[in-house]
């Protein structure tokens, strides 16, 4: 988002774009339908996540909303249906979002209270997906208006031409194997992130992480910048709480005497 906002062209290797993830699309759909009752695509995306709602039922609910406004989802017509409790919860969440004077991030947390059961019912990897949603909320915390946030997050990436000069490449380390760049930044060199927290109790997995670190540092032809933040979001793993906690630099930065001789230590 920031690269796009600053008009810096970039390409991305590894994984799908953050905003292309199904659960992120769901959260953005909830925001859009709270702003615009005529956003049929957003309404359908959320409604079909509810058990008992198929395409035909979703179309019927949307038609009622188009004719009678948001209150239509509380209609007696749907009261005896399997999905009625979820419709009522959706109505409550939309009303909260629309009437609240809280920050956008806080209003998104209200939507998440509604969305969390749907997320659990419809997707695997619940922990990772929940973390992504909290990341989205964290990204929204710097915005004054919902419209500005939606505009930035839905902007298409700038010209993604790997052959054009002055293009930033975003890559996972695995996807960078065999590639080189003039200047490489390796971010989040913090114990628990790199090496990963799941590797800390096993020397074999630590060695696997160390080999991955070697792959990362050897991608740089001229300049290598190793980034180790002094503080990260707290131990509820970064995105669940706004408070900061001090972090320990990765052992890969501190255990290698040769590395200490070769690098300049910059404190920013």
């Amino acid at each position: 988002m920031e690269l796009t906002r600053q008009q810096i062209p970039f390409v991305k290797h590894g994984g799908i774009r953050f905003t292309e993830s199904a659960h992120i699309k769901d959260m953005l759909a909830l925001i859009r339908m709270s702003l615009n009752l005529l956003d049929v695509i957003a309404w359908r995306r959320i409604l079909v996540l509810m058990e008992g709602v198929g395409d035909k039922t979703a179309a019927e609910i949307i038609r009622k909303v188009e004719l009678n406004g948001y209150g239509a989802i509380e209609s007696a017509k749907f009261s005896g249906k399997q999905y009625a409790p979820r419709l009522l919860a959706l109505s409550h969440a939309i009303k909260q979002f629309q009437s609240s004077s809280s920050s956008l991030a806080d209003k998104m947390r209200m939507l998440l209270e509604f969305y969390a059961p749907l997320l659990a019912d419809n997707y695997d990897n619940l922990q990772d997906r929940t973390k992504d949603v909290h990341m989205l909320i964290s990204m929204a915390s710097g915005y004054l208006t919902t419209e500005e946030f939606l505009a930035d997050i839905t902007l298409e990436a700038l010209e993604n031409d790997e052959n054009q000069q002055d293009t930033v490449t975003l890559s996972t380390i695995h996807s960078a194997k065999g590639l080189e760049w003039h200047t490489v930044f390796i971010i989040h060199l913090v114990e628990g992130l790199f090496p990963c927290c799941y590797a800390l109790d096993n020397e074999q997995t630590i060695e696997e992480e160390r080999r991955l670190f070697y792959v990362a540092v050897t991608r740089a032809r001229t300049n290598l910048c190793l980034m180790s933040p002094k503080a990260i979001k707290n131990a509820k793993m970064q995105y669940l709480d706004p408070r900061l906690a001090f972090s320990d630099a990765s052992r890969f930065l501190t255990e290698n005497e040769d590395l200490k001789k070769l690098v300049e230590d910059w404190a920013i």
Side-chain angles (χ1 to χ4, degrees):
M1 286 176 65
E2 188 61 28
L3 289 171
T4 300
R5 188 160 45 234
Q6 298 296 334
Q7 299 187 16
I8 299 172
F10 66 91
V11 294
K12 182 175 181 292
H13 296 307
I16 64 173
R17 288 181 63 184
F18 182 73
T19 53
E20 291 300 311
S21 302
H23 49 295
I24 299 302
K25 287 184 175 180
D26 291 345
M27 279 297 294
L28 295 175
L30 279 169
I31 296 172
R32 293 201 307 270
M33 60 197 285
S34 298
L35 294 178
N36 179 12
L37 63 81
L38 299 180
D39 193 328
V40 174
I41 295 175
W43 275 93
R44 186 192 175 281
R45 181 175 190 91
I46 298 303
L47 289 173
V48 296
L49 293 175
M50 301 179 187
E51 189 173 358
V53 177
D55 289 338
K56 182 178 179 180
T57 302
E60 185 179 3
I61 295 170
I62 292 168
R63 181 61 176 163
K64 285 282 186 183
V65 171
E66 289 176 328
L67 294 174
N68 303 305
Y70 291 101
I73 56 179
E74 298 182 18
S75 169
K77 177 178 176 59
F78 309 120
S79 61
K81 304 295 185 180
Q82 176 185 8
Y83 49 82
R86 289 282 170 85
L87 281 182
L88 290 174
L90 175 59
S91 176
H92 177 69
I94 290 174
K95 287 177 181 177
Q96 275 192 310
F97 187 94
Q98 293 175 334
S99 63
S100 175
S101 59
S102 300
S103 67
L104 173 58
D106 284 340
K107 292 197 290 185
M108 289 173 65
R109 292 185 184 97
M110 297 172 190
L111 294 179
L112 179 56
E113 288 185 24
F114 160 77
Y115 177 60
L118 294 180
L119 179 62
D121 289 346
N122 287 275
Y123 300 108
D124 56 6
N125 301 326
L126 180 60
Q127 184 176 1
D128 289 341
R129 291 178 189 270
T130 301
K131 187 169 72 171
D132 284 350
V133 173
H134 284 288
M135 165 67 94
L136 182 70
I137 294 172
S138 177
M139 292 163 67
S141 62
Y143 285 84
L144 296 177
T145 70
T146 307
E147 291 78 8
E148 183 184 3
F149 172 69
L150 287 177
D152 278 353
I153 204 165
T154 55
L155 277 175
E156 289 295 326
L158 298 179
E159 182 67 27
N160 288 350
D161 181 359
E162 294 191 48
N163 296 317
Q164 102 180 58
Q165 293 183 342
D166 299 326
T167 297
V168 174
T169 299
L170 307 176
S171 179
T172 64
I173 297 173
H174 285 99
S175 297
K177 289 180 180 179
L179 301 175
E180 283 187 337
W181 293 277
H182 178 276
T183 299
V184 170
F185 292 80
I186 305 175
I187 63 172
H188 273 163
L189 284 168
V190 171
E191 284 291 294
L193 294 176
F194 198 4
C196 170
C197 58
Y198 299 115
L200 298 181
D201 294 331
N202 186 308
E203 187 58 35
Q204 183 176 350
T205 52
I206 287 289
E207 282 304 307
E208 291 174 2
E209 292 280 286
R210 188 175 282 108
R211 284 192 288 272
L212 196 59
F213 178 67
Y214 174 79
V215 170
V217 299
T218 53
R219 300 308 92 202
R221 285 195 299 266
T222 305
N223 301 317
L224 175 65
C225 299
L226 306 174
M227 318 297 289
S228 181
K230 297 291 186 182
I232 59 174
K233 295 292 179 74
N234 80 357
K236 287 204 162 184
M237 257 353 259
Q238 305 181 67
Y239 310 115
L240 305 185
D241 193 300
R243 292 171 297 180
L244 292 174
F246 291 111
S247 57
D248 293 326
S250 169
R251 66 190 67 193
F252 301 150
L253 296 180
T254 59
E255 67 185 1
N256 190 317
E257 292 300 321
D258 290 332
L259 185 62
K260 294 178 183 178
K261 297 174 186 176
L262 291 171
V263 303
E264 294 180 57
D265 187 3
W266 292 3
I268 299 175

